[in-house]
Amino acid sequence: MIQLKTIDELRLMKESARLVSKTLGMLAKEIKPGITTLHLDKLAHDFIKDHGAEPAFLGYGGFPYSLCISPNDQVVHGFPNNDVVKEGDVLSVDCGVILNGFVGDHAYTFEIGEVNPETKKLLKVAKESLYKGIEQCIRGKRIGDISYAIQRHCEKEGYGVVKELVGHGLGRKMHEDPQVPNYGRQGSGKVIKDGLAIAIEPMINLGTEKVKFHNDGWTVTTLDNQPSAHFEHDVAVINGKPVLLSTFQYIYDALGIESDEEKAFQLDF
């Protein structure tokens, strides 16, 4: 059952989502060649705790870290470790917090130094598809409209859209109804209503859509070992329109990136 949220609840969810955003912005300053992902995990853990929240991923289903960090051909749910981040890598960082009883959960794929043009384009298109999906979060439309918009944008560029992993509802629990696939038919699925809060998260592969699930029970990689990109926002429907609870602006401020991609989805409430 979909748990529609009140405005007061969405305000609290925005605080949770924005703490994730600030954590990713803090990490953006630290992500560079030579650093280990385990060090990034500790930085995030301490930052979240220092802001009066709990890491939502730590212990969730037995997951042993505060971040999911997935380099290169890892799609999602990668374990932080002592491997060194290298020039030319891409690094998906997925973060969650629990604050005021609500979960914030979103992700960004970072470029490490100079990334090859083919991979750079993958990241660009995957992030564009996220906003294509968000545009469809309109009262009266359906979840399948979000899914279709993401799939169409990525597949027309020849990319593989991962089907085994999906976005999800969000609230007091990290995974609520409805599921939000990155593929589907227009006009299908649950009707979008005011108070809906979801995490939209395209997981897009440079090559095949097929993935491999590893024996650790978490790590997912592309079957052909080509790079994957993962971007995720927390989105609410307010007054019939999509409103971002999370933001990439802290990342952009840290990296000196100028962007107005979020402007259409901002609302003070």
Side-chain angles (χ1 to χ4, degrees), residues 16 23-24 30 50 60 66 82 86 114-115 125-126 130 133 136 150 152 154 157 173 221 226 228 239 251-252 269:
S16 303
T23 306
L24 292 175
E30 306 293 333
D50 287 347
Y60 182 83
S66 297
N82 282 313
K86 301 185 296 297
E114 289 298 318
V115 172
V125 172
L130 171 60
Q136 299 301 312
I150 293 168
R152 182 174 182 275
C154 294
E157 298 291 344
K173 297 180 180 178
T221 58
Q226 294 202 72
S228 185
N239 298 328
I251 295 171
Y252 295 159
F269 67 96

Side-chain angles (χ1 to χ4, degrees), residues 7 13 49 138 163:
I7 286 292
M13 289 187 67
K49 298 283 281 188
I138 295 171
K163 294 183 170 61

Side-chain angles (χ1 to χ4, degrees), residues 4-229:
L4 298 177
K5 310 302 189 295
T6 67
I7 286 292
D8 286 343
E9 288 175 323
L10 291 174
R11 288 192 183 104
L12 293 174
M13 289 187 67
K14 185 176 181 180
E15 289 182 22
S16 303
R18 291 300 164 104
L19 179 54
V20 180
S21 304
K22 290 174 183 176
T23 306
L24 292 175
M26 177 274 295
L27 293 171
K29 300 173 185 176
E30 306 293 333
I31 295 174
K32 59 192 69 172
I35 200 165
T36 69
T37 54
L38 200 57
H39 180 63
L40 295 175
D41 185 74
K42 185 177 188 315
L43 289 175
H45 176 275
D46 293 349
F47 187 87
I48 293 166
K49 298 283 281 188
D50 287 347
H51 284 77
E54 295 295 326
F57 295 174
L58 185 61
Y60 182 83
F63 190 79
Y65 299 99
S66 297
L67 296 175
C68 296
I69 304 185
S70 308
N72 301 321
D73 66 337
Q74 291 188 16
V75 181
V76 286
H77 303 160
F79 282 8
N81 56 39
N82 282 313
D83 292 345
V84 171
V85 175
K86 301 185 296 297
E87 179 85 14
D89 285 346
V90 293
L91 201 66
S92 168
V93 181
D94 193 354
C95 179
V97 308
I98 303 170
L99 180 66
N100 299 321
F102 287 93
V103 177
D105 169 26
H106 72 114
Y108 191 88
T109 302
F110 293 88
E111 300 177 22
I112 312 302
E114 289 298 318
V115 172
N116 72 61
E118 192 177 38
T119 302
K120 187 183 284 283
K121 183 183 176 186
L122 167 68
L123 269 57
K124 176 178 179 291
V125 172
K127 183 150 67 72
E128 288 172 352
S129 79
L130 171 60
Y131 292 103
K132 295 290 185 184
I134 293 169
E135 287 172 359
Q136 299 301 312
C137 290
I138 295 171
R139 184 178 58 217
K141 282 183 171 281
R142 291 179 178 268
I143 296 298
D145 295 317
I146 300 170
S147 307
Y148 175 81
I150 293 168
Q151 181 180 19
R152 182 174 182 275
H153 188 72
C154 294
E155 287 188 348
K156 73 180 181 181
E157 298 291 344
Y159 299 136
V161 177
V162 175
K163 294 183 170 61
E164 292 88 344
L165 302 154
V166 298
H168 50 91
L170 195 67
R172 293 189 182 276
K173 297 180 180 178
M174 180 140 55
H175 294 103
E176 297 185 356
D177 289 335
Q179 291 192 348
V180 186
N182 297 308
Y183 67 97
R185 294 183 295 107
Q186 286 179 298
S188 66
K190 300 288 187 181
V191 175
I192 295 169
K193 299 178 181 180
D194 280 333
L196 180 71
I198 54 177
I200 302 176
E201 50 178 322
M203 290 157 274
I204 311 300
N205 300 341
L206 183 62
T208 181
E209 66 185 42
K210 297 184 183 301
V211 298
K212 176 182 178 181
F213 290 83
H214 288 247
N215 291 334
D216 62 18
W218 290 97
T219 307
V220 182
T221 58
T222 59
L223 195 61
D224 58 7
N225 301 123
Q226 294 202 72
S228 185

